Amino acid sequence: MRLATLSDRAVLLTDTGAVDIADASAGRFGPDPMDVLADWTAFRAWAGSAVLPAASPYRTADLGAPVPRPRQVFAVALNYRPHAAEAGYVPPEIPLLFTKFPSCITGPNARVELPKGRVDWELEMVAVIGAPCHRVPASEGWEAVAGLTVGQDLSERVLQLTGTPPQFSLGKSYPGFGPTGPALVTPDELPDRDDIAIECLLNGESVQAARTSEMIFSVPRLVEFISGVCPLYPGDLIFTGTPAGVGNRRVPQRFLGPDDVLVSRIDGLGEMRQTFR
Ligand code: ZN
């Protein structure tokens, strides 16, 4: 199942177009995507057996963030060994968490305003929480996940790395710094939910490419670690970390400018395209 936000309404995407969930369910679910997620278990049961009306064609440009207003956004630093190495750190022994404040979340085609400083890319797979949960063991971690989507943890490196110790979260939370989408894809759609190819292209050149099986802490282990402290709510996002190839560790360094086109692609989840101004 592929769930998306089209002109601010929750839709199911099919091979031929989009089905409005509120219309198809006679008002039982939606139209607010957050309401669909808040009733996730019942929605999945309905969507699994409902006879859907014909899908309508839609414009990709009208897609918004599949989870437009998450209560909590968790993000994981240094979750791929080659990225930890390029950043000059030993791999962490426990997940290293920060937040992207939720006001930065935007959709898959957002044009992002560049603040002063040095803005860098970080392609990441994002896990979306389904039912409310707390203290979930890793063995049940996937059951807490409604679906997966593509994310960019855009980062302004000067603010992120200033200070001793530095504060990660603000430099990663400018408006538009959390593009997500194009859809929330349920893990059963994927051949192997633990091993997914991810790739980031800058102006057509591949700058990051990895597989999620290379993550130091897998999705279920992240759910266990985070939910061991914080109760999780429907629609909460977990940015699972970026692989090697970010701009501030390249030689020479490379940061985003107004002429750049950033494409973020994850097998089975789809593709986002960011431009800048
Ligand atoms: Zn990141």
Side-chain angles (χ1 to χ4, degrees):
M1 181 164 65
R2 306 174 75 84
L3 193 68
T5 302
L6 184 64
S7 303
D8 300 323
R9 293 175 67 92
V11 296
L12 283 168
L13 299 183
T14 71
D15 291 341
T16 52
V19 174
D20 187 275
I21 289 170
D23 289 350
S25 67
R28 169 76 178 81
F29 303 102
D32 185 339
M34 301 310 297
D35 290 344
V36 174
L37 284 158
D39 209 0
W40 182 248
T41 306
F43 172 73
R44 279 222 67 168
W46 171 81
S49 60
V51 179
L52 297 176
S56 307
Y58 66 94
R59 297 188 329 145
T60 308
D62 293 332
L63 290 174
V67 184
R69 300 184 310 283
R71 263 176 279 200
Q72 307 186 91
V73 181
F74 302 92
V76 183
L78 309 178
N79 201 21
Y80 289 80
R81 286 175 207 282
H83 175 60
E86 74 176 352
Y89 296 101
V90 295
E93 288 172 15
I94 60 169
L96 184 53
L97 268 286
F98 61 93
T99 188
K100 292 176 76 68
F101 294 103
S103 56
C104 77
I105 296 299
T106 188
N109 309 294
R111 190 167 168 84
V112 181
E113 181 182 330
L114 294 168
K116 255 193 276 185
R118 299 173 157 193
V119 178
D120 202 349
W121 58 86
E122 292 194 1
L123 165 66
E124 311 202 1
M125 186 175 77
V126 176
V128 181
I129 296 299
C133 58
H134 192 204
R135 299 175 184 144
V136 180
S139 59
E140 296 167 19
W142 272 117
E143 290 162 39
V145 174
L148 300 168
T149 193
V150 186
Q152 265 290 341
D153 174 19
L154 293 175
S155 304
E156 196 286 292
R157 299 300 189 194
V158 177
L159 181 56
Q160 180 195 340
L161 299 171
T162 297
T164 310
Q167 51 175 326
F168 266 37
S169 298
L170 268 184
K172 291 165 170 276
S173 296
Y174 282 95
F177 269 33
T180 52
L184 182 163
V185 179
T186 52
D188 60 295
E189 296 271 333
L190 302 161
D192 183 349
R193 63 192 180 183
D194 292 298
D195 181 29
I196 307 169
I198 73 176
E199 184 174 30
C200 179
L201 300 106
L202 179 61
N203 305 326
E205 177 199 348
S206 178
V207 289
Q208 295 185 286
R211 302 192 69 86
T212 59
S213 52
E214 298 166 33
M215 294 196 300
I216 297 170
F217 302 104
S218 65
V219 169
R221 290 184 69 195
L222 292 174
V223 169
E224 176 181 69
F225 184 78
I226 298 167
S227 77
V229 178
C230 301
L232 301 181
Y233 301 104
D236 283 355
L237 305 181
I238 303 173
F239 281 70
T240 58
T242 199
V246 296
N248 73 328
R249 301 300 175 188
R250 298 175 84 82
V251 182
Q253 289 184 318
R254 173 76 160 90
F255 298 103
L256 293 166
D259 297 329
D260 287 329
V261 178
L262 189 68
V263 169
S264 310
R265 186 180 286 165
I266 300 186
D267 267 12
L269 304 185
E271 184 174 293
M272 303 196 299
R273 184 176 183 279
Q274 262 60 64
T275 55
F276 303 89
R277 63 185 169 86

